[in-house]
Amino acid sequence: MLVYLRLFKESFSFALNALRNNKLRTFLSLLGVTVGIFSIIAVLAAVDSLDRNIKDSLSGLDKNTIYLSKYSFVPTEIPRWKRERFPQVDYDDFEFVRRNISDIEASAYVIFGGSETIRYQAETLTNVEVTPISDGIYTIDDLKIVKGRFYSELESETGAPVIVLGFTLAENLFDNDNPIGKQIRVYGRKLTVIGVLKKYGSGLGDSPDGKAFVPANFVRRFRNGGANGLPGAVVIKPKADVDVGAFESILKQKFRAYRGLKADEADNFFVNKLAGMVSIVDGIIGVMNGIGWMISLFSLLVGGFGIANIMFVSVKERTNLIGIQKSLGAKNRFILFQFLFEATILAIVGGLVGLGLVWIMTLVASGMSGDFEFVLSAENMLLGFGLSSVIGLISGVLPAIRASRLDPVEAIRTGM
């Protein structure tokens, strides 16, 4: 055992000396591996960060939440022309579901709002997403209030002229002033600010921070509703102990009967589950990971070829030295380990430099992106270190074997 430890130590020292004596060659070899490892770990870190931020954004939502709408939130085989003929899901549909479907913890009617202009005194904000929705969304989306309150069921039913602002929206409108009780203009009408949501951050890209919520019935007073009017949906959160599959079947059956659909007629609505949308997001993340791996592996492959090429040149240059070493009693395995160590050290140092660059990139990106947090996980760091080691071993195997099998007499004669 001691003999092998000494062999490793001497081979390692010899490899370090060889690398020091050929600084330009060492730098060029490091560059290839550094680019490869940087590409792989940067892509993985970016995808992991996106995945983590999305899941953090969805953590407060129940994945069993159902959206009853004329629109499908996932790809469907029903042709577009047929879907466009579906009637809108309106407030009457919401009332039917609320009164006739059991095992519902909370429900809400939402109108798919657009961008609106909000004014407060001399301050004007354009392209603000204002969502008309009933009070049940407060429970369904597990919203949190930092100032004031959310509108009540009575205010929702009567369409009271009240509004709840996202955190960033409130800051932009009122700066450091307390917005509660202030009146702002939306839809050309005055609404009273009664609440401000907590700051959620922008992990999903659909954060409520820049949004506003108003009672759906307030908007229905002056905008066309009904089956051919405003696009809407019924949002349903089943009770926790309910079989979601059975609940969905009962919902479809009763809603079909409510709409007067015959047994041989297809549904003219969609039952969308949040779990399905989460699965689609996971699939997209997986595809992004796969594409990132493919692109990055090509970079790493180039780095590996670079190391192998330089190691073959190194063997050629040191043929005479190898012959002298073998004539003095150096074993084949000493020569083999010597070149393997040299290739592995090159790859590991290149990998560490690549990881260092990714770490710097995550710090800079996190500082510039605000609420979006870039993360370089320990798993990705170990993966980068392991990949660089493997690339070094693979790249150095053939040159090392070639060097170890040189005949000492031929090596000395050839290298002279």
Side-chain angles (χ1 to χ4, degrees):
M1 185 65 180
L2 186 61
V3 174
Y4 283 102
L5 288 176
R6 289 184 60 186
L7 176 63
F8 276 114
K9 181 181 177 182
E10 291 175 6
S11 301
F12 188 76
S13 300
F14 203 96
L16 282 178
N17 289 330
L19 294 176
R20 286 196 205 99
N21 295 332
N22 297 278
K23 293 182 176 62
L24 180 59
R25 182 190 301 165
T26 300
F27 171 75
L28 293 174
S29 301
L30 288 175
L31 189 61
V33 179
T34 297
V35 171
I37 294 297
F38 175 82
S39 300
I40 287 180
I41 305 306
V43 169
L44 292 179
V47 174
D48 284 353
S49 300
L50 178 63
D51 188 36
R52 182 175 298 187
N53 278 272
I54 288 175
K55 288 178 177 176
D56 286 346
S57 298
L58 293 174
S59 61
L61 303 180
D62 187 345
K63 292 182 181 180
N64 293 326
T65 299
I66 292 172
Y67 291 78
L68 181 66
S69 173
K70 71 168 286 186
Y71 306 104
S72 176
F73 296 170
V74 296
T76 176
E77 295 180 357
I78 299 176
R80 182 176 178 179
W81 65 267
K82 195 170 185 178
R83 283 181 276 136
E84 288 177 347
R85 294 183 179 180
F86 289 176
Q88 293 288 357
V89 173
D90 59 19
Y91 194 79
D92 292 336
D93 296 327
F94 165 64
E95 290 285 357
F96 169 80
V97 169
R98 186 170 61 169
R99 293 171 181 172
N100 294 275
I101 307 297
S102 58
D103 296 323
I104 293 179
E105 182 177 334
S107 61
Y109 175 67
V110 58
I111 296 172
F112 297 125
S115 298
E116 303 292 340
T117 298
I118 297 182
R119 293 184 175 87
Y120 173 69
Q121 295 180 355
E123 191 71 43
T124 300
L125 299 179
T126 59
N127 296 321
V128 177
E129 185 176 345
V130 180
T131 304
I133 195 164
S134 58
D135 63 291
I137 198 62
Y138 184 73
T139 301
I140 293 172
D141 279 2
D142 192 28
L143 297 175
K144 305 294 183 185
I145 298 287
V146 291
K147 291 180 182 178
R149 60 180 178 84
F150 205 80
Y151 42 85
S152 65
E153 183 177 358
L154 179 61
E155 289 170 322
S156 180
E157 293 282 350
T158 58
V162 294
I163 188 169
V164 175
L165 305 178
F167 189 88
T168 304
L169 179 58
E171 277 191 336
N172 293 338
L173 271 178
F174 298 98
D175 199 14
N176 295 323
D177 291 343
N178 183 10
I180 306 303
K182 301 284 196 325
Q183 286 194 328
I184 62 177
R185 294 190 72 86
V186 189
Y187 306 110
R189 291 164 168 78
K190 289 184 179 181
L191 291 91
T192 302
V193 179
I194 61 170
V196 176
L197 299 177
K198 78 163 190 176
K199 188 174 183 179
Y200 283 85
S202 56
L204 241 188
D206 191 31
S207 168
D209 290 349
K211 295 182 180 181
F213 296 91
V214 299
N217 280 346
F218 172 76
V219 176
R220 290 177 65 238
R221 289 180 182 174
F222 52 86
R223 291 200 172 171
N224 182 33
N228 299 310
L230 296 170
V234 178
V235 189
I236 306 164
K237 181 179 181 180
K239 291 182 178 178
D241 57 349
V242 169
D243 183 335
V244 179
F247 180 88
E248 184 180 348
S249 297
I250 293 171
L251 174 63
K252 282 185 177 181
Q253 180 184 356
K254 290 189 175 183
F255 200 68
R256 281 178 58 86
Y258 169 71
R259 284 201 164 176
L261 295 173
K262 298 177 182 178
D264 59 342
E265 290 181 313
D267 295 341
N268 59 1
F269 57 90
F270 290 99
V271 176
N272 303 284
K273 286 193 293 187
L274 186 61
M277 290 181 278
V278 172
S279 298
I280 290 177
V281 171
D282 288 340
I284 293 172
I285 294 293
V287 170
M288 291 172 61
N289 251 324
I291 294 173
W293 267 97
M294 288 177 60
I295 295 172
S296 303
L297 282 174
F298 278 113
S299 301
L300 200 56
L301 192 62
V302 171
F305 281 135
I307 291 178
N309 184 48
I310 288 177
M311 292 307 299
F312 275 117
V313 173
S314 182
V315 171
K316 184 70 176 176
E317 287 181 347
R318 285 150 54 185
T319 299
N320 184 46
L321 181 59
I322 293 169
I324 294 173
Q325 287 178 321
K326 297 190 81 170
S327 66
L328 293 175
K331 303 293 184 181
N332 286 353
R333 60 177 176 270
F334 175 80
I335 305 297
L336 179 72
F337 282 128
Q338 176 183 313
F339 283 92
L340 278 180
F341 270 122
E342 188 171 336
T344 304
I345 291 169
L346 272 173
I348 289 176
V349 173
L352 292 175
V353 173
L355 286 173
L357 291 176
V358 176
W359 180 70
I360 293 172
M361 182 197 74
T362 57
L363 291 179
V364 174
S366 295
M368 295 176 62
S369 62
D371 298 318
F372 190 91
E373 182 183 5
F374 283 86
V375 179
L376 178 59
S377 65
E379 291 82 0
N380 284 337
M381 294 179 69
L382 289 173
L383 178 63
F385 184 80
L387 278 175
S388 58
S389 302
V390 171
I391 288 296
L393 282 172
I394 294 175
S395 303
V397 165
L398 289 178
I401 291 176
R402 180 176 177 180
S404 67
R405 290 180 178 177
L406 287 174
D407 181 82
V409 176
E410 285 296 321
I412 295 173
R413 183 173 62 83
T414 304
M416 292 178 65

